[in-house]
Amino acid sequence: MALHRCKLIWTSLRILCLMIVFDRGKSASCSSIPAAEPHANSSSPTAEAVSATLSAWEGASVSLECNVDGSPDPCVVWVSPNFDFITSENASGRFEVDGNNVLTIKDLTQSDAGTYRCKATNALGTAEAEINLDIASMAILLAVIFSFVACIIVVALVSVWKYRRSKKRRSIVPEEELKMRELRRQTMANGGPSGQPNGEASGVV
C-alpha cells in the first residue's frame, strides 16, 4: 500500500513538472506558430542586433533594438540574462516591448547587466541575435565628479596662494636697498660724488 502511494505521489509530481515546463515554453514561443504555407515568398527568419554592445548608467533607461525579418512574420521573444522570456504580451513593470520589437528597460540596476537574446521564430525555423548590456554604477560617476571638482578647487587655491605670495614679496623692500636709495638721494642733493654743491663743481668764478 505504501509503495502505491509513493508511485502516485511521484506520478503527480512528474505531471506537475510537465505542466510547468509546457506553460513556460508556451509563453516563450508566443503561443502557437502557424504552419507555413508553401509559396515562393516563404523564408526563414533572420535577426540582427542594431548594436551588439550597449552601455548605460544605473537608474537610466535603455532600448535594445533587433531587426527581424522572415515570411511568415516571425514571432519575437527577448530572453534576459536570467532566462526570463519577455514579449509584447507579457512585458510589465520596468520592461516594455513595442510594436517594432524594441525592448526598453527603465530604472536600470546592476542586475540588468548581461547578454540579451532576440529570438525570431516562424514555421521555417528560428534565428537569434545577442546584445550585451553594461551598466555603469552611479557611485563611480559620483566619485569621478567629486574628484574633478576637488582638483579644480585645489588648483584654484594654489593659484591664489602663489599670487598673494608674489604680491607680498614685491611690496617688501629689503633694508639694504632702502639704505642704498637714501645714500643715492643724499649724494645727488650734495652735487655728486665729489661732495661739491651743484654749480660749483663746474669751476665757474
Side-chain angles (χ1 to χ4, degrees), residues 51-202:
S51 298
T53 302
L54 291 175
S55 298
W57 289 105
E58 187 177 5
S61 298
V62 68
S63 294
L64 283 65
E65 301 182 44
C66 179
N67 293 329
V68 175
D69 194 11
S71 180
D73 292 337
C75 163
V76 177
V77 176
W78 286 93
V79 184
S80 73
N82 298 325
F83 300 99
D84 293 325
F85 299 99
I86 308 169
T87 67
S88 57
E89 299 173 356
N90 66 6
S92 61
R94 299 185 301 112
F95 297 86
E96 294 180 359
V97 179
D98 63 14
N100 296 322
N101 301 312
V102 177
L103 172 62
T104 300
I105 309 174
K106 302 177 181 178
D107 298 328
L108 289 169
T109 63
Q110 290 295 327
S111 61
D112 295 324
T115 301
Y116 289 78
R117 291 183 295 160
C118 170
K119 299 187 67 174
T121 305
N122 66 9
L124 298 180
T126 300
E128 70 176 50
E130 293 185 351
I131 299 177
N132 186 53
L133 178 61
D134 295 326
I135 308 297
S137 174
M138 285 298 296
I140 297 177
L141 176 61
L142 293 176
V144 171
I145 294 176
F146 176 80
S147 300
F148 180 73
V149 173
C151 289
I152 293 177
I153 294 174
V154 170
V155 170
L157 291 176
V158 171
S159 300
V160 171
W161 177 78
K162 287 184 177 180
Y163 172 76
R164 291 183 175 179
R165 186 179 180 185
S166 62
K167 187 176 180 181
K168 185 177 181 180
R169 283 182 175 181
R170 288 194 299 267
S171 63
I172 298 176
V173 180
E175 185 177 355
E176 292 79 6
E177 187 175 348
L178 287 175
K179 291 181 179 180
M180 291 298 296
R181 288 182 181 180
E182 181 64 21
L183 180 60
R184 285 196 297 267
R185 186 183 67 80
Q186 293 178 359
T187 302
M188 294 300 295
N190 294 330
S194 62
Q196 297 177 352
N198 293 335
E200 299 180 358
S202 62

Side-chain angles (χ1 to χ4, degrees), residues 33-55:
I33 303 297
E37 298 180 1
H39 56 79
N41 295 327
S42 296
S43 62
S44 300
T46 60
E48 182 181 1
V50 175
S51 298
T53 302
L54 291 175
S55 298

